[in-house]
Amino acid sequence: MNIDKKNIGLLIGFLVMLFIAYKFSISKTFKVKNEYEKLKNEQERISDLPNQISYLKQQSAYYDQILLKNQISSENSFQNNLLTIVNSYASKNDLEIMGFKQPHVFPEKDAIIKTYNFSVKGNYTSILKLLYSIEQYGNYGKIISVDFEKKKNYKSNKVFLECDVFLQRVERN
């Protein structure tokens, strides 16, 4: 064997050993280093957690004081939110709110069932889109009854559609 073949064999052997060393040790070192960085970031985030919890408790107490001061209960807040959603959707889609009645409250064993009733006037597709958005988006409750009624205004001789909606919400005691 001449010197050129020995040098080529030595170079190939060196490259194979370098590949084996990378495969079994260096790549594992990089993986461990990346995992270490992730854990260090997680530890920094967790170390600030007590401060965030105390801040959120202070904020919750502050908001409770504001609600108590303005005499706003969660029930009124929910009813106001529902009315706001229906009103904003009605103004965007050429609907008219005919009435929004007080909820009917029915206590059961460990829950209170509240049924909200409101009436909307407009075209069929807009009313259906309103009902769909109330039922699918947000946690407003379940629509249990929808009553469409075709009416006629004899002064203007126009026909319109009126819809009574019953929305049921279950609250735990």
PDB file of all heavy atoms in Angstrom, residues 124-143:
ATOM      1  N   TYR A 124     -86.591  37.036   7.450  1.00  0.00           N
ATOM      2  CA  TYR A 124     -86.353  35.670   7.940  1.00  0.00           C
ATOM      3  C   TYR A 124     -84.865  35.358   8.071  1.00  0.00           C
ATOM      4  O   TYR A 124     -84.419  34.852   9.098  1.00  0.00           O
ATOM      5  CB  TYR A 124     -87.047  34.685   7.004  1.00  0.00           C
ATOM      6  CG  TYR A 124     -86.932  33.246   7.414  1.00  0.00           C
ATOM      7  CD1 TYR A 124     -87.659  32.755   8.495  1.00  0.00           C
ATOM      8  CD2 TYR A 124     -86.091  32.374   6.741  1.00  0.00           C
ATOM      9  CE1 TYR A 124     -87.548  31.439   8.893  1.00  0.00           C
ATOM     10  CE2 TYR A 124     -85.978  31.055   7.130  1.00  0.00           C
ATOM     11  CZ  TYR A 124     -86.712  30.586   8.205  1.00  0.00           C
ATOM     12  OH  TYR A 124     -86.602  29.287   8.599  1.00  0.00           O
ATOM     13  N   THR A 125     -84.080  35.652   7.056  1.00  0.00           N
ATOM     14  CA  THR A 125     -82.660  35.277   7.088  1.00  0.00           C
ATOM     15  C   THR A 125     -81.900  36.056   8.162  1.00  0.00           C
ATOM     16  O   THR A 125     -81.030  35.495   8.835  1.00  0.00           O
ATOM     17  CB  THR A 125     -81.998  35.480   5.718  1.00  0.00           C
ATOM     18  OG1 THR A 125     -82.187  36.830   5.311  1.00  0.00           O
ATOM     19  CG2 THR A 125     -82.571  34.543   4.695  1.00  0.00           C
ATOM     20  N   SER A 126     -82.227  37.320   8.349  1.00  0.00           N
ATOM     21  CA  SER A 126     -81.548  38.104   9.382  1.00  0.00           C
ATOM     22  C   SER A 126     -81.879  37.577  10.771  1.00  0.00           C
ATOM     23  O   SER A 126     -81.009  37.511  11.645  1.00  0.00           O
ATOM     24  CB  SER A 126     -81.944  39.577   9.285  1.00  0.00           C
ATOM     25  OG  SER A 126     -81.526  40.121   8.077  1.00  0.00           O
ATOM     26  N   ILE A 127     -83.119  37.192  10.979  1.00  0.00           N
ATOM     27  CA  ILE A 127     -83.511  36.641  12.281  1.00  0.00           C
ATOM     28  C   ILE A 127     -82.799  35.311  12.520  1.00  0.00           C
ATOM     29  O   ILE A 127     -82.302  35.045  13.616  1.00  0.00           O
ATOM     30  CB  ILE A 127     -85.042  36.474  12.371  1.00  0.00           C
ATOM     31  CG1 ILE A 127     -85.707  37.849  12.378  1.00  0.00           C
ATOM     32  CG2 ILE A 127     -85.437  35.706  13.614  1.00  0.00           C
ATOM     33  CD1 ILE A 127     -87.220  37.807  12.298  1.00  0.00           C
ATOM     34  N   LEU A 128     -82.722  34.471  11.486  1.00  0.00           N
ATOM     35  CA  LEU A 128     -82.015  33.191  11.643  1.00  0.00           C
ATOM     36  C   LEU A 128     -80.534  33.396  11.938  1.00  0.00           C
ATOM     37  O   LEU A 128     -79.947  32.681  12.750  1.00  0.00           O
ATOM     38  CB  LEU A 128     -82.182  32.336  10.395  1.00  0.00           C
ATOM     39  CG  LEU A 128     -83.502  31.588  10.255  1.00  0.00           C
ATOM     40  CD1 LEU A 128     -83.479  30.730   9.003  1.00  0.00           C
ATOM     41  CD2 LEU A 128     -83.800  30.742  11.458  1.00  0.00           C
ATOM     42  N   LYS A 129     -79.924  34.377  11.294  1.00  0.00           N
ATOM     43  CA  LYS A 129     -78.510  34.663  11.563  1.00  0.00           C
ATOM     44  C   LYS A 129     -78.322  35.159  12.990  1.00  0.00           C
ATOM     45  O   LYS A 129     -77.339  34.809  13.646  1.00  0.00           O
ATOM     46  CB  LYS A 129     -77.978  35.694  10.565  1.00  0.00           C
ATOM     47  CG  LYS A 129     -77.784  35.128   9.185  1.00  0.00           C
ATOM     48  CD  LYS A 129     -77.277  36.195   8.237  1.00  0.00           C
ATOM     49  CE  LYS A 129     -77.155  35.651   6.823  1.00  0.00           C
ATOM     50  NZ  LYS A 129     -76.719  36.677   5.876  1.00  0.00           N
ATOM     51  N   LEU A 130     -79.260  35.957  13.487  1.00  0.00           N
ATOM     52  CA  LEU A 130     -79.207  36.408  14.872  1.00  0.00           C
ATOM     53  C   LEU A 130     -79.290  35.220  15.823  1.00  0.00           C
ATOM     54  O   LEU A 130     -78.490  35.095  16.758  1.00  0.00           O
ATOM     55  CB  LEU A 130     -80.341  37.391  15.169  1.00  0.00           C
ATOM     56  CG  LEU A 130     -80.565  37.729  16.646  1.00  0.00           C
ATOM     57  CD1 LEU A 130     -79.404  38.527  17.187  1.00  0.00           C
ATOM     58  CD2 LEU A 130     -81.868  38.466  16.829  1.00  0.00           C
ATOM     59  N   LEU A 131     -80.230  34.329  15.582  1.00  0.00           N
ATOM     60  CA  LEU A 131     -80.396  33.153  16.439  1.00  0.00           C
ATOM     61  C   LEU A 131     -79.148  32.268  16.398  1.00  0.00           C
ATOM     62  O   LEU A 131     -78.710  31.751  17.425  1.00  0.00           O
ATOM     63  CB  LEU A 131     -81.630  32.355  16.021  1.00  0.00           C
ATOM     64  CG  LEU A 131     -82.972  33.085  16.145  1.00  0.00           C
ATOM     65  CD1 LEU A 131     -84.092  32.211  15.613  1.00  0.00           C
ATOM     66  CD2 LEU A 131     -83.234  33.488  17.570  1.00  0.00           C
ATOM     67  N   TYR A 132     -78.586  32.100  15.229  1.00  0.00           N
ATOM     68  CA  TYR A 132     -77.380  31.289  15.084  1.00  0.00           C
ATOM     69  C   TYR A 132     -76.213  31.903  15.862  1.00  0.00           C
ATOM     70  O   TYR A 132     -75.485  31.198  16.562  1.00  0.00           O
ATOM     71  CB  TYR A 132     -77.018  31.149  13.608  1.00  0.00           C
ATOM     72  CG  TYR A 132     -75.777  30.326  13.375  1.00  0.00           C
ATOM     73  CD1 TYR A 132     -75.825  28.944  13.456  1.00  0.00           C
ATOM     74  CD2 TYR A 132     -74.556  30.924  13.096  1.00  0.00           C
ATOM     75  CE1 TYR A 132     -74.690  28.176  13.252  1.00  0.00           C
ATOM     76  CE2 TYR A 132     -73.418  30.169  12.895  1.00  0.00           C
ATOM     77  CZ  TYR A 132     -73.495  28.795  12.967  1.00  0.00           C
ATOM     78  OH  TYR A 132     -72.365  28.044  12.776  1.00  0.00           O
ATOM     79  N   SER A 133     -76.055  33.222  15.741  1.00  0.00           N
ATOM     80  CA  SER A 133     -74.938  33.863  16.435  1.00  0.00           C
ATOM     81  C   SER A 133     -75.118  33.806  17.946  1.00  0.00           C
ATOM     82  O   SER A 133     -74.143  33.639  18.682  1.00  0.00           O
ATOM     83  CB  SER A 133     -74.761  35.307  15.965  1.00  0.00           C
ATOM     84  OG  SER A 133     -75.876  36.072  16.348  1.00  0.00           O
ATOM     85  N   ILE A 134     -76.347  33.921  18.439  1.00  0.00           N
ATOM     86  CA  ILE A 134     -76.582  33.830  19.880  1.00  0.00           C
ATOM     87  C   ILE A 134     -76.272  32.423  20.375  1.00  0.00           C
ATOM     88  O   ILE A 134     -75.667  32.241  21.428  1.00  0.00           O
ATOM     89  CB  ILE A 134     -78.039  34.209  20.221  1.00  0.00           C
ATOM     90  CG1 ILE A 134     -78.244  35.706  20.054  1.00  0.00           C
ATOM     91  CG2 ILE A 134     -78.401  33.788  21.637  1.00  0.00           C
ATOM     92  CD1 ILE A 134     -79.674  36.137  20.206  1.00  0.00           C
ATOM     93  N   GLU A 135     -76.676  31.424  19.629  1.00  0.00           N
ATOM     94  CA  GLU A 135     -76.511  30.050  20.070  1.00  0.00           C
ATOM     95  C   GLU A 135     -75.067  29.557  19.924  1.00  0.00           C
ATOM     96  O   GLU A 135     -74.569  28.834  20.770  1.00  0.00           O
ATOM     97  CB  GLU A 135     -77.447  29.128  19.291  1.00  0.00           C
ATOM     98  CG  GLU A 135     -77.637  27.788  19.938  1.00  0.00           C
ATOM     99  CD  GLU A 135     -78.769  27.006  19.312  1.00  0.00           C
ATOM    100  OE1 GLU A 135     -78.824  26.941  18.074  1.00  0.00           O
ATOM    101  OE2 GLU A 135     -79.593  26.463  20.062  1.00  0.00           O
ATOM    102  N   GLN A 136     -74.380  29.966  18.876  1.00  0.00           N
ATOM    103  CA  GLN A 136     -73.047  29.423  18.600  1.00  0.00           C
ATOM    104  C   GLN A 136     -71.925  30.228  19.236  1.00  0.00           C
ATOM    105  O   GLN A 136     -70.949  29.657  19.693  1.00  0.00           O
ATOM    106  CB  GLN A 136     -72.813  29.341  17.088  1.00  0.00           C
ATOM    107  CG  GLN A 136     -73.733  28.397  16.382  1.00  0.00           C
ATOM    108  CD  GLN A 136     -73.549  26.969  16.843  1.00  0.00           C
ATOM    109  OE1 GLN A 136     -72.447  26.516  17.072  1.00  0.00           O
ATOM    110  NE2 GLN A 136     -74.651  26.260  16.994  1.00  0.00           N
ATOM    111  N   TYR A 137     -72.032  31.541  19.235  1.00  0.00           N
ATOM    112  CA  TYR A 137     -70.947  32.394  19.712  1.00  0.00           C
ATOM    113  C   TYR A 137     -71.312  32.932  21.081  1.00  0.00           C
ATOM    114  O   TYR A 137     -72.350  33.537  21.265  1.00  0.00           O
ATOM    115  CB  TYR A 137     -70.680  33.536  18.742  1.00  0.00           C
ATOM    116  CG  TYR A 137     -70.424  33.058  17.344  1.00  0.00           C
ATOM    117  CD1 TYR A 137     -71.279  33.367  16.311  1.00  0.00           C
ATOM    118  CD2 TYR A 137     -69.323  32.255  17.061  1.00  0.00           C
ATOM    119  CE1 TYR A 137     -71.046  32.911  15.026  1.00  0.00           C
ATOM    120  CE2 TYR A 137     -69.087  31.793  15.779  1.00  0.00           C
ATOM    121  CZ  TYR A 137     -69.955  32.133  14.770  1.00  0.00           C
ATOM    122  OH  TYR A 137     -69.713  31.682  13.516  1.00  0.00           O
ATOM    123  N   GLY A 138     -70.445  32.732  22.021  1.00  0.00           N
ATOM    124  CA  GLY A 138     -70.699  33.185  23.376  1.00  0.00           C
ATOM    125  C   GLY A 138     -71.426  32.115  24.160  1.00  0.00           C
ATOM    126  O   GLY A 138     -71.934  31.145  23.628  1.00  0.00           O
ATOM    127  N   ASN A 139     -71.500  32.318  25.440  1.00  0.00           N
ATOM    128  CA  ASN A 139     -72.118  31.340  26.327  1.00  0.00           C
ATOM    129  C   ASN A 139     -73.420  31.926  26.855  1.00  0.00           C
ATOM    130  O   ASN A 139     -73.552  32.204  28.034  1.00  0.00           O
ATOM    131  CB  ASN A 139     -71.157  31.002  27.467  1.00  0.00           C
ATOM    132  CG  ASN A 139     -71.601  29.807  28.257  1.00  0.00           C
ATOM    133  OD1 ASN A 139     -72.503  29.090  27.845  1.00  0.00           O
ATOM    134  ND2 ASN A 139     -70.973  29.600  29.384  1.00  0.00           N
ATOM    135  N   TYR A 140     -74.370  32.128  25.965  1.00  0.00           N
ATOM    136  CA  TYR A 140     -75.618  32.775  26.359  1.00  0.00           C
ATOM    137  C   TYR A 140     -76.676  31.780  26.781  1.00  0.00           C
ATOM    138  O   TYR A 140     -77.600  32.137  27.475  1.00  0.00           O
ATOM    139  CB  TYR A 140     -76.149  33.645  25.216  1.00  0.00           C
ATOM    140  CG  TYR A 140     -75.230  34.789  24.933  1.00  0.00           C
ATOM    141  CD1 TYR A 140     -74.442  34.813  23.796  1.00  0.00           C
ATOM    142  CD2 TYR A 140     -75.116  35.830  25.825  1.00  0.00           C
ATOM    143  CE1 TYR A 140     -73.580  35.845  23.555  1.00  0.00           C
ATOM    144  CE2 TYR A 140     -74.248  36.875  25.596  1.00  0.00           C
ATOM    145  CZ  TYR A 140     -73.489  36.879  24.455  1.00  0.00           C
ATOM    146  OH  TYR A 140     -72.630  37.899  24.231  1.00  0.00           O
ATOM    147  N   GLY A 141     -76.594  30.570  26.371  1.00  0.00           N
ATOM    148  CA  GLY A 141     -77.573  29.566  26.741  1.00  0.00           C
ATOM    149  C   GLY A 141     -78.085  28.834  25.519  1.00  0.00           C
ATOM    150  O   GLY A 141     -77.505  28.885  24.436  1.00  0.00           O
ATOM    151  N   LYS A 142     -79.224  28.179  25.722  1.00  0.00           N
ATOM    152  CA  LYS A 142     -79.799  27.336  24.680  1.00  0.00           C
ATOM    153  C   LYS A 142     -81.128  27.935  24.236  1.00  0.00           C
ATOM    154  O   LYS A 142     -81.973  28.270  25.059  1.00  0.00           O
ATOM    155  CB  LYS A 142     -80.017  25.937  25.263  1.00  0.00           C
ATOM    156  CG  LYS A 142     -80.648  24.950  24.354  1.00  0.00           C
ATOM    157  CD  LYS A 142     -80.799  23.626  25.086  1.00  0.00           C
ATOM    158  CE  LYS A 142     -81.611  22.649  24.288  1.00  0.00           C
ATOM    159  NZ  LYS A 142     -81.836  21.414  25.021  1.00  0.00           N
ATOM    160  N   ILE A 143     -81.315  28.054  22.943  1.00  0.00           N
ATOM    161  CA  ILE A 143     -82.586  28.544  22.417  1.00  0.00           C
ATOM    162  C   ILE A 143     -83.564  27.378  22.465  1.00  0.00           C
ATOM    163  O   ILE A 143     -83.371  26.363  21.797  1.00  0.00           O
ATOM    164  CB  ILE A 143     -82.428  29.096  20.991  1.00  0.00           C
ATOM    165  CG1 ILE A 143     -81.521  30.313  21.026  1.00  0.00           C
ATOM    166  CG2 ILE A 143     -83.782  29.418  20.401  1.00  0.00           C
ATOM    167  CD1 ILE A 143     -81.233  30.914  19.691  1.00  0.00           C
TER     168      ILE A 143
END
